[in-house]
Amino acid sequence: MNNSVSNTARLLGAGLRALLVLTLVTGVIYPLAATGVAQGLFNDKANGSEITSQGKVVGSSLIGQAYNLPLKEGQETPEPDLKWFQGRPQNGLGTNSVNTQYSIILSGATNRAGDNEELIQWVKDAKAAVVKDNSVPGYTVRPAQVPADAVTSSGSGLDPNISPQYADLQVHRVAEKNGLPVAEVQELVDDHTEGRTLGFMGEPRVNVLELNVALKDLVAKG
């Protein structure tokens, strides 16, 4: 009986020591080491790929934002603030009331087939809006100029980038709304156009948040 109790006590002691060691290694040492390496070698990515403006964090380079005017009384859908470059449509996603800086917080697509009547109408309406909003005196947008990313949401709905073609299409409108020379705004787009990753992966792209932060600085200088 005494030997049985003694053996049980030894097993419990060994199990407790193993638990403490594993807790220390996997719950303290490893997380601290991983955090240290991430902060030391990949500081920007580890902290969420933050973008700052005037010393304040305004978002992440990995998550798209909406640039809309405040809702008017009776409105359900906000109008785009046309002094800013606009990102891709954000159809099929929910909203949040906690962080109102972002109009979306959920990730997901519309889950509608290519022949879905509602989706087709969304695309038609979006194309018409892009043509109307970006046609300014001396520059008229033709429907054939509107790229696919201007009228369709991404698979996640959170795409932070647009194609250079869509950015170029918005240059004249942004220049007019902000009282800037077209050439300066076009140069801003060119400077923020990224090529394919490693020269062959993905497509050329423009990060909308980074571009709008640069636009804000350009307007402030003017």
Side-chain angles (χ1 to χ4, degrees):
M1 183 70 178
N2 288 337
N3 288 337
S4 178
V5 171
S6 178
N7 288 336
T8 300
R10 283 198 298 271
L11 289 173
L12 288 174
L16 181 59
R17 287 193 296 272
L19 175 62
L20 292 175
V21 170
L22 289 172
T23 300
L24 180 64
V25 172
T26 62
V28 180
I29 297 176
Y30 175 75
L32 288 176
T35 300
V37 170
Q39 290 293 331
L41 300 180
F42 312 102
N43 181 265
D44 176 63
K45 291 181 174 59
N47 290 320
S49 301
E50 296 172 339
I51 294 178
T52 59
S53 177
Q54 299 179 347
K56 297 181 180 179
V57 175
V58 295
S60 167
S61 63
L62 304 176
I63 301 175
Q65 296 188 27
Y67 296 86
N68 295 325
L69 294 169
L71 278 172
K72 299 176 183 177
E73 186 175 353
Q75 267 189 333
E76 293 185 2
T77 303
E79 298 174 4
D81 189 343
L82 296 179
K83 71 180 181 181
W84 302 108
F85 284 93
Q86 296 294 312
R88 299 185 66 171
Q90 299 165 345
N91 296 326
L93 300 175
T95 61
N96 77 98
S97 58
V98 179
N99 184 356
T100 54
Q101 181 180 359
Y102 301 88
S103 68
I104 55 176
I105 198 170
L106 305 177
S107 174
T110 63
N111 289 328
R112 288 168 170 78
D115 59 354
N116 179 270
E117 292 184 4
E118 186 177 27
L119 178 61
I120 292 172
Q121 191 60 51
W122 282 350
V123 171
K124 289 181 178 179
D125 291 345
K127 178 174 281 192
V130 169
V131 170
K132 176 179 178 292
D133 291 343
N134 292 284
S135 293
V136 297
Y139 179 78
T140 301
V141 176
R142 292 177 287 105
Q145 291 178 266
V146 179
D149 62 298
V151 297
T152 58
S153 60
S154 65
S156 68
L158 303 175
D159 192 347
N161 304 313
I162 56 176
S163 66
Q165 292 80 9
Y166 187 28
D168 290 342
L169 187 146
Q170 301 183 60
V171 165
H172 286 77
R173 182 254 299 162
V174 170
E176 184 200 50
K177 294 292 184 181
N178 290 282
L180 295 169
V182 170
E184 287 189 14
V185 180
Q186 183 64 62
E187 183 178 2
L188 210 61
V189 171
D190 295 341
D191 290 343
H192 286 80
T193 299
E194 302 176 50
R196 290 180 171 87
T197 304
L198 300 178
F200 68 95
M201 292 191 297
E203 295 293 333
R205 59 201 178 275
V206 180
N207 186 284
V208 180
L209 176 55
E210 292 177 353
L211 181 59
N212 279 332
V213 168
L215 173 64
K216 181 180 180 181
D217 293 340
L218 183 62
V219 171
K221 290 178 183 177

